[in-house]
Amino acid sequence: MKASIEFFFDPISPFSYLATTRIDELASRHGRNVIWRPTLVGVTVTKVMGLKPVPETPLKSTYFARDAQRLAQIFGVPLRRHGLKNVNSLAACRAFLWVQERDDASARRLVRHLSARLWVDGIDITPRETVVAEAASLGIEVGDLSSEEVKHKLAAAVDYAIRKNVFGVPFFVADDEPFWGCDRMWMLDYWLATGRLPSFDDLLCRLFQD
Amino acid sequence: MKASIEFFFDPISPFSYLATTRIDELASRHGRNVIWRPTLVGVTVTKVMGLKPVPETPLKSTYFARDAQRLAQIFGVPLRRHGLKNVNSLAACRAFLWVQERDDASARRLVRHLSARLWVDGIDITPRETVVAEAASLGIEVGDLSSEEVKHKLAAAVDYAIRKNVFGVPFFVADDEPFWGCDRMWMLDYWLATGRLPSFDDLLCRLFQD
């Protein structure tokens, strides 16, 4: 039995959305299970790291917006820039945790769905009612999203991510090897296939065969 | 005649050091010239973007230090973490610009050398005297590093980089397509070979042939 991979996500990030579309398939090709772990990357960036969110950071925001589109093209999925302000994923992450305890596959399906609703359809997933309704459209029940229990669960999940040095999403950990970014899924794939890192020439030569 | 690639560097960054070891060879395989452009990424990060430098940013600093080692392994070159404080690359970048006007190949050689002195040998390249002496060891003269002319030249180079949205190094621009990071050199390579982006499956399948 091979060790599971950890996948840290936050529906608020377009890069996390992209990762949700591929991670399970990638891992299963290598006979690995994936443990999906929510985090609130906004909390980590502003409170732990003392930075501004990327969308409010000059220069970087422009590049990241363009790069998200480019990576969506690579991933072969749609992605549209939403003009929403102050989106947060508290309700989405709490819903994930409540469902995960009961049915892991449904919990993943819910996160894939909510991420795509935000990043493809431009639906604001901040309100609890929206999360409840979106889940219901999949036939998934999410429990009481304002219960103390689910609040504590999410706080613990965020603490865990911070202890694991998760400063951005998506973030993967395989065999204690950390990988940040959906643009590193090739490196994760290579790691899972070989247990090592590629050489620069290997990588370029292989891409270069086109 | 194919369009040149722009390569933005700053010897202060380990990732920029890694890029200096490969960019010319990569570009020349595609019949492209590289225009090397210095910038002061510390200025951009703190003054334009309003962030802390990565080494002072919790969580991220840990990952980036580890990732630099991992990428050095991929690049097949040594990299050692120096314990130096307050290193800056003002003198190195000014020296580059003075030499570049006279002999572009020597200017590149100087930057490769200074980057490696910092990131392999742990030599502080901040003092002007050090830059002068290191250049002399290569038989390269660097002019007066405190002249108004070279100061203005570097200020203009930094302004140019900021106008080009260069928020980190290394940063490459090919045919108006921007690529940030030495871990995106595979994407640059693919772009130069094909004029397009790879698909996710192409990328993984190719890596996966191992």
Side-chain angles (χ1 to χ4, degrees):
Chain A
M1 188 64 190
K2 291 177 184 170
S4 295
I5 299 164
E6 291 182 289
F7 164 45
F8 295 87
F9 67 87
D10 183 342
I12 210 170
S13 154
F15 305 104
S16 171
Y17 152 62
L18 293 176
T20 65
T21 67
R22 294 278 187 168
I23 183 60
D24 280 338
E25 174 215 1
L26 189 159
S28 77
R29 273 195 285 107
H30 302 287
R32 300 276 195 135
N33 180 43
V34 184
I35 304 172
W36 287 42
R37 297 200 184 275
T39 189
L40 299 171
V41 77
V43 171
T44 307
V45 165
T46 57
K47 300 208 175 144
V48 180
M49 300 165 72
L51 305 178
K52 286 179 286 199
V54 167
E56 295 165 26
T57 303
L59 311 186
K60 208 169 192 172
S61 54
T62 309
Y63 180 87
F64 273 47
R66 179 172 178 163
D67 197 41
Q69 289 297 346
R70 181 166 63 175
L71 288 167
Q73 193 183 323
I74 288 175
F75 276 64
V77 295
L79 186 146
R80 281 178 208 91
R81 197 174 176 175
H82 61 72
L84 303 166
K85 300 280 175 209
N86 303 316
V87 179
N88 82 55
S89 54
L90 268 173
C93 289
R94 287 180 191 164
F96 169 82
L97 287 169
W98 194 89
V99 179
Q100 187 185 36
E101 238 180 36
R102 287 147 182 95
D103 176 0
D104 194 50
S106 291
R108 297 173 192 214
R109 196 153 60 95
L110 177 60
V111 169
R112 278 194 294 265
H113 176 78
L114 290 171
S115 302
R117 286 301 265 166
L118 177 60
W119 288 106
V120 180
D121 305 317
I123 304 288
D124 188 349
I125 59 165
T126 307
R128 286 198 283 260
E129 310 81 70
T130 305
V131 169
V132 171
E134 291 292 339
S137 78
L138 303 176
I140 297 172
E141 195 200 333
V142 297
D144 175 4
L145 296 180
S146 53
S147 79
E148 288 305 310
E149 193 193 335
V150 81
K151 281 184 192 177
H152 284 138
K153 255 188 194 303
L154 180 54
V158 173
D159 283 348
Y160 177 81
I162 292 166
R163 280 202 310 279
K164 283 274 190 169
N165 261 315
V166 175
F167 61 88
V169 286
F171 199 102
F172 313 93
V173 181
D175 316 317
D176 289 326
E177 194 73 18
F179 303 89
W180 168 53
C182 66
D183 63 339
R184 287 290 185 94
M185 288 174 80
W186 62 265
M187 195 191 256
L188 172 64
D189 188 63
Y190 196 98
W191 179 269
L192 296 176
T194 66
R196 61 180 175 80
L197 301 169
S199 76
F200 191 83
D201 291 320
D202 277 353
L203 182 57
L204 294 196
C205 288
R206 236 165 269 167
L207 292 170
F208 202 49
Q209 285 163 3
D210 223 41
Chain B
M1 189 63 190
K2 291 178 184 169
S4 295
I5 298 165
E6 291 182 289
F7 164 45
F8 295 87
F9 66 87
D10 183 342
I12 211 170
S13 152
F15 305 104
S16 171
Y17 151 63
L18 293 177
T20 66
T21 67
R22 294 280 186 166
I23 184 60
D24 280 338
E25 173 216 2
L26 188 160
S28 78
R29 274 195 284 107
H30 302 287
R32 300 275 196 137
N33 180 43
V34 183
I35 303 171
W36 287 42
R37 298 199 185 275
T39 191
L40 299 170
V41 77
V43 171
T44 308
V45 166
T46 57
K47 299 207 175 147
V48 180
M49 300 164 72
L51 304 178
K52 286 179 284 197
V54 168
E56 295 164 27
T57 304
L59 312 187
K60 207 169 192 172
S61 55
T62 309
Y63 180 86
F64 273 47
R66 179 172 178 165
D67 196 41
Q69 290 297 346
R70 180 165 64 173
L71 287 167
Q73 194 184 324
I74 288 176
F75 276 64
V77 295
L79 186 147
R80 280 178 207 90
R81 198 173 175 173
H82 61 71
L84 303 167
K85 299 280 176 209
N86 303 317
V87 179
N88 82 55
S89 54
L90 268 173
C93 289
R94 288 181 190 164
F96 169 82
L97 286 169
W98 193 89
V99 178
Q100 187 185 34
E101 239 181 34
R102 287 148 182 93
D103 175 1
D104 193 51
S106 290
R108 296 173 192 214
R109 196 155 59 98
L110 177 60
V111 168
R112 279 193 293 264
H113 175 79
L114 290 171
S115 302
R117 287 300 266 167
L118 176 60
W119 288 106
V120 180
D121 305 316
I123 304 289
D124 189 349
I125 60 165
T126 307
R128 286 198 284 261
E129 311 80 69
T130 305
V131 170
V132 171
E134 291 292 339
S137 79
L138 304 176
I140 297 172
E141 195 199 332
V142 296
D144 175 3
L145 296 179
S146 53
S147 79
E148 287 305 311
E149 194 194 335
V150 81
K151 281 185 191 176
H152 284 138
K153 255 187 195 302
L154 180 55
V158 173
D159 283 348
Y160 176 81
I162 292 166
R163 280 202 310 281
K164 283 275 190 170
N165 262 315
V166 175
F167 61 87
V169 288
F171 199 101
F172 313 93
V173 181
D175 316 317
D176 290 326
E177 195 73 18
F179 302 90
W180 167 54
C182 67
D183 63 339
R184 286 291 185 95
M185 288 174 81
W186 62 265
M187 195 190 255
L188 171 64
D189 188 64
Y190 196 97
W191 179 269
L192 296 176
T194 66
R196 60 181 175 80
L197 301 169
S199 76
F200 191 84
D201 291 320
D202 278 352
L203 182 58
L204 293 196
C205 288
R206 235 164 271 169
L207 292 169
F208 201 51
Q209 284 163 5
D210 224 41

